[in-house]
Amino acid sequence: MDVNAKFQQVAKEVPRKPFIIFKDEVITYQQAVIRVNKLANALVKQGITANDKVAVCLSNCPEYIFSYLAVFSLGAAIVPLDARLTDEEIAGILKHSEAVLLVSKSNITQLMQEASANPPNIKINEDALAVLYYTSGTTGKPKAVMANYRSLDNATETMRFAGLDEQKFGQVEICALPLSH
């Protein structure tokens, strides 16, 4: 599933509707598109291409969601990390995942400052790796779980099952989960 194409499409249909409400900040779809595109282009400037792995270590914030969408727009794979992990755990995951870049609180603003807001034009390979989740399971030692772009449609199907279909995009929903999961 080309998540970014779907996001860009919805943003054209409801540009002024809230995409994210985070604390006191309301970010519209139109504003989110600009931020996602800027981050995607910043990643390209850093040398990120399709099939690369990009680790993201942030607390729950809009930039985490923008990171998912930016990485997806490039056909790369995101390695979402929990900001509560120790430095040792992060280092181990970075090494194991072979992530070529780490997006964090310390570099995300700088990455986006001078980047273009034009959408990248990249064809997504549905069989390519989209997300590399790390879970500790029962051993306490992180293990990788892979999801390809085709499997991302499962979340959409789950949303439809829960009554959240495309006809309701632009409405406000609550997400209280860690974005690293």
Side-chain angles (χ1 to χ4, degrees):
M1 173 181 195
D2 189 341
V3 175
N4 187 60
K6 185 65 176 174
F7 167 67
Q8 300 276 344
Q9 174 192 335
V10 171
K12 285 180 184 173
E13 294 170 10
V14 292
R16 289 181 171 53
K17 290 222 176 191
F19 174 64
I20 297 173
I21 301 171
F22 181 72
K23 298 183 181 179
D24 294 332
E25 183 180 18
V26 177
I27 301 168
T28 66
Y29 274 87
Q30 186 174 39
Q31 292 167 323
V33 163
I34 291 167
R35 293 184 192 185
V36 168
N37 291 346
K38 287 184 92 160
L39 182 54
N41 286 308
L43 296 175
V44 169
K45 281 175 102 173
Q46 294 293 313
I48 301 301
T49 61
N51 302 314
D52 281 340
K53 296 179 194 100
V54 178
V56 177
C57 187
L58 297 164
S59 57
N60 276 7
C61 62
E63 289 76 12
Y64 216 130
I65 296 169
F66 303 151
S67 296
Y68 268 95
L69 293 167
V71 171
F72 289 162
S73 74
L74 302 176
I78 189 167
V79 182
L81 302 174
D82 189 326
R84 297 173 297 173
L85 293 172
T86 67
D87 289 347
E88 184 179 310
E89 290 169 322
I90 291 171
I93 291 171
L94 292 175
K95 181 177 180 182
H96 183 266
S97 70
E98 300 177 343
V100 295
L101 180 69
L102 172 63
V103 175
S104 66
K105 184 179 178 180
S106 66
N107 69 356
I108 193 164
T109 303
Q110 180 183 347
L111 282 171
M112 293 173 60
Q113 276 183 339
E114 296 180 24
S116 164
N118 295 324
N121 186 18
I122 295 174
K123 177 137 175 54
I124 303 303
N125 174 356
E126 294 284 316
D127 295 317
L129 180 65
V131 185
L132 190 58
Y133 293 107
Y134 278 82
T135 177
S136 58
T138 57
T139 65
K141 184 172 171 122
K143 293 172 284 304
V145 177
M146 299 183 293
N148 65 15
Y149 279 92
R150 187 178 320 283
S151 71
L152 295 179
D153 198 32
N154 294 338
T156 304
E157 292 302 318
T158 301
M159 288 175 63
R160 285 188 192 116
F161 179 75
L164 305 171
D165 60 20
E166 286 90 350
Q167 303 305 316
K168 296 182 181 178
F169 278 137
Q171 292 185 359
V172 176
E173 304 296 335
I174 294 174
C175 176
L177 300 172
L179 296 174
S180 58
H181 288 66

